[in-house]
Amino acid sequence: MSRFASRREFLKRFGFSAAMLPFISNLPSLGFENSTGRKKRLVIIFSPNGVVKKNFWPDEAGNLQHFKEILTPLDAYRDRTLVLNGISDKVGGDGDNHMRGIGCLLTGIELFPGNFQGGGATPASWSRGISIDQEIKNFLQSQPKTQTRFGSLEYGVVVPETAVVWNRMVYAGPNQPIAPIDSPYQMFQKLYGNVQDQESLSGVLDLHVEDLKRMEALISREDRQLLQQHAEFVRQMERELQASGPLPAGHLIPELEPGWVIHNDNLPQLTQMQIDLMVSSFAADFARVSTLQFTQSVGQARMSWLGIHEGHHHLSHEPNSNEAAQEQLTKICRWYCEQVAYLVKKLAETPEPGGEGSLLDHTTVVWTNELAEGNTHAMDDIPFVLIGNGLDFQMGRSLQYGGVPHNRLLLSLAHGMGHEIESFGKPEFCQDGPLTDLS
């Protein structure tokens, strides 16, 4: 099979419909320019309100011998995990720590002045800069060899629809927040198209049966297997989405001011659906950068499935001497870690299409937070846990940095993805370059 500069050239030459794009994106034998070479992927996951330090941080630097309670769901992947202690968000300016915590987390630069009033701080607005995920996306999309259909995908789970600085962490540029897609049904439609409503999902593949049959003669036996596996996943997703029925009318968080109690017992199921879609999108090479945002900064999810009926943010303000609150917060943080572990497991179990190993061998997952600790609103020890081998960092370790600016970690993520920029966000926080000792 001769090489094609683009998928659209292939579709035009052989008369396939544009709706076939999702199914041909990752077939090496078709010879698209971005199907050669090792793929690298980055996932950034956000959960709010800090962590319980005593049950989170390893006691010392060096090889990871064991995890504290919160991180134990990742135990099977300890040799592929990197825990970074002493990474500090030093970005000051307007806004309270929750606002700056999420708004500056991936941008590394201040918020604009504005009208969003936080807790006793100067009002603020959106971030002054692009977020690192979008910076990397733009770099990858600028080169034919790393271009994908979407570039990046932004997933949300129970993120309020109201556009406020507390619930936006991704930025296309200064003053340009990007809202995550909160509904797995909407994300499914974006990924696979031709889905006008939930009842029409079963027709997605039926419309292209003839094209699928014709394509089998043009690709290798290995790619036919990949195509069949991908098509079967879509059929399975259709069955699952239809079986679940329409989401309850109240499944999305109402447009409330930050701090009000948010209740959503569907959060576990929605999380799994979004993660399944993310893994599928990577297997199809729809994108090589993704973000997953749980609720928002000041998130008030009430995790009744854990036997916890008080809002997360309220609990995070309890003093460390409140052992009952510490126990509940530990359960909450561990639950978030379990969701990270679910994603990591799915990546590890999914073969890398057209390459060696699994998706996890080519993907790095970064789990982080806007605060170090909820009751102090500290930003001098932001949790950063990296899992997977996509960036070729040396894993299986705990590193202690002693308060370096988190801009240097953002630089390191860009360099790991092949984008060797000299600074990101505030230049003065990048003078020492990327973090040392990662590789």
Side-chain angles (χ1 to χ4, degrees):
M1 175 64 62
S2 60
R3 299 288 176 182
F4 296 91
S6 71
R7 297 165 178 79
R8 294 192 181 278
E9 177 190 335
F10 171 81
L11 294 178
K12 182 178 180 181
R13 180 177 299 186
F14 289 96
F16 293 118
S17 68
M20 289 298 296
L21 276 172
F23 302 100
I24 68 170
S25 295
N26 206 32
L27 302 180
S29 63
L30 293 181
F32 302 124
E33 290 191 23
N34 74 341
S35 66
T36 59
R38 180 173 181 260
K39 298 180 179 69
K40 290 186 174 184
R41 306 182 189 86
L42 177 67
V43 179
I44 301 177
I45 299 178
F46 169 88
S47 61
N49 301 322
V51 297
V52 179
K53 290 185 174 183
K54 66 181 181 181
N55 295 328
F56 182 87
W57 295 111
D59 289 329
E60 56 187 23
N63 292 335
L64 280 170
Q65 301 299 324
H66 68 279
F67 283 133
K68 296 288 187 67
E69 183 176 354
I70 289 172
L71 293 180
T72 52
L74 290 170
D75 195 62
Y77 307 97
R78 193 171 64 248
D79 62 342
R80 308 181 78 170
T81 299
L82 194 58
V83 181
L84 305 182
N85 200 335
I87 307 293
S88 300
D89 184 346
K90 296 182 178 292
V91 180
D94 297 326
D96 65 24
N97 282 21
H98 279 288
M99 299 164 72
R100 287 188 288 111
I102 191 170
C104 309
L105 179 66
L106 302 184
T107 65
I109 198 167
E110 295 96 339
L111 305 176
F112 282 113
N115 298 318
F116 296 123
Q117 178 63 62
T122 307
S125 186
W126 308 115
S127 178
R128 294 175 181 265
I130 191 172
S131 55
I132 193 63
D133 58 299
Q134 296 301 295
E135 173 72 24
I136 294 171
K137 185 276 292 281
N138 291 343
F139 167 73
L140 296 177
Q141 293 295 87
S142 71
Q143 304 175 80
K145 290 184 179 181
T146 52
Q147 284 179 355
T148 54
R149 183 181 177 201
F150 296 109
S152 68
L153 290 165
E154 293 73 44
Y155 298 78
V157 182
V158 194
V159 177
E161 289 185 313
T162 305
V164 294
V165 68
W166 292 272
N167 59 32
R168 297 291 185 266
M169 71 173 185
V170 175
Y171 286 81
N175 211 31
Q176 299 177 60
I178 296 177
I181 293 180
D182 207 41
S183 166
Y185 304 105
Q186 184 180 349
M187 181 60 78
F188 183 90
Q189 182 176 9
K190 176 172 182 171
L191 293 178
Y192 297 105
N194 293 329
V195 182
Q196 301 302 316
D197 51 42
Q198 191 173 346
E199 287 71 26
S200 69
L201 289 176
S202 61
V204 172
L205 286 180
D206 294 339
L207 294 174
H208 314 304
V209 169
E210 292 305 316
D211 277 353
L212 286 169
K213 289 181 178 178
R214 289 172 55 208
M215 185 169 293
E216 288 183 352
L218 299 173
I219 59 179
S220 68
R221 184 173 66 178
E222 291 78 10
D223 279 355
R224 284 197 294 272
Q225 184 177 1
L226 289 173
L227 192 66
Q228 291 167 0
Q229 290 174 349
H230 187 59
E232 178 55 33
F233 174 85
V234 176
R235 292 189 183 97
Q236 181 61 30
M237 285 300 302
E238 290 174 349
R239 289 193 291 267
E240 291 178 0
L241 291 171
Q242 288 176 322
S244 66
L247 289 173
H251 86 284
L252 291 176
I253 301 172
E255 297 184 2
L256 303 175
E257 294 290 335
W260 290 77
V261 173
I262 299 170
H263 181 80
N264 191 337
D265 286 341
N266 294 323
L267 200 151
Q269 181 179 1
L270 296 173
T271 298
Q272 181 173 323
M273 294 169 73
Q274 293 285 59
I275 289 175
D276 288 347
L277 287 168
M278 182 188 294
V279 174
S280 176
S281 75
F282 285 152
D285 203 24
F286 288 168
R288 298 185 186 174
V289 177
S290 286
T291 54
L292 174 60
Q293 179 181 329
F294 285 104
T295 68
Q296 63 168 351
S297 179
V298 200
Q300 279 284 39
R302 301 177 70 177
M303 298 189 176
S304 57
W305 57 93
L306 300 179
I308 300 172
H309 301 285
E310 188 165 359
H312 183 191
H313 179 244
H314 288 165
L315 278 172
S316 74
H317 274 249
E318 290 295 316
N320 292 345
S321 58
N322 185 335
E323 290 297 332
Q326 291 279 285
E327 181 180 351
Q328 290 180 311
L329 288 169
T330 297
K331 287 182 179 180
I332 291 172
C333 293
R334 179 187 166 94
W335 184 84
Y336 281 124
C337 188
E338 288 172 351
Q339 312 319 300
V340 176
Y342 176 77
L343 169 60
V344 171
K345 184 174 185 290
K346 292 279 291 187
L347 292 170
E349 292 175 347
T350 304
E352 174 68 25
E356 298 181 354
S358 69
L359 290 181
L360 189 61
D361 293 317
H362 302 260
T363 306
T364 294
V365 178
V366 180
W367 177 32
T368 186
N369 205 296
E370 90 273 33
L371 299 175
E373 193 173 36
N375 51 19
T376 63
H377 293 86
M379 301 172 69
D380 57 359
D381 199 9
I382 300 294
F384 283 101
V385 179
L386 283 62
I387 314 101
N389 303 97
L391 303 187
D392 299 321
F393 294 160
Q394 183 183 344
M395 311 305 282
R397 299 180 297 155
S398 171
L399 300 180
Q400 296 182 357
Y401 285 99
V404 303
H406 84 294
N407 299 66
R408 295 182 60 193
L409 173 58
L410 301 181
L411 267 183
S412 300
L413 298 179
H415 282 221
M417 292 291 289
H419 188 25
E420 297 191 0
I421 50 180
E422 294 183 359
S423 67
F424 184 78
K426 290 182 70 67
E428 57 262 44
F429 294 146
C430 302
Q431 293 177 354
D432 294 324
L435 293 176
T436 58
D437 301 329
L438 288 181
S439 300

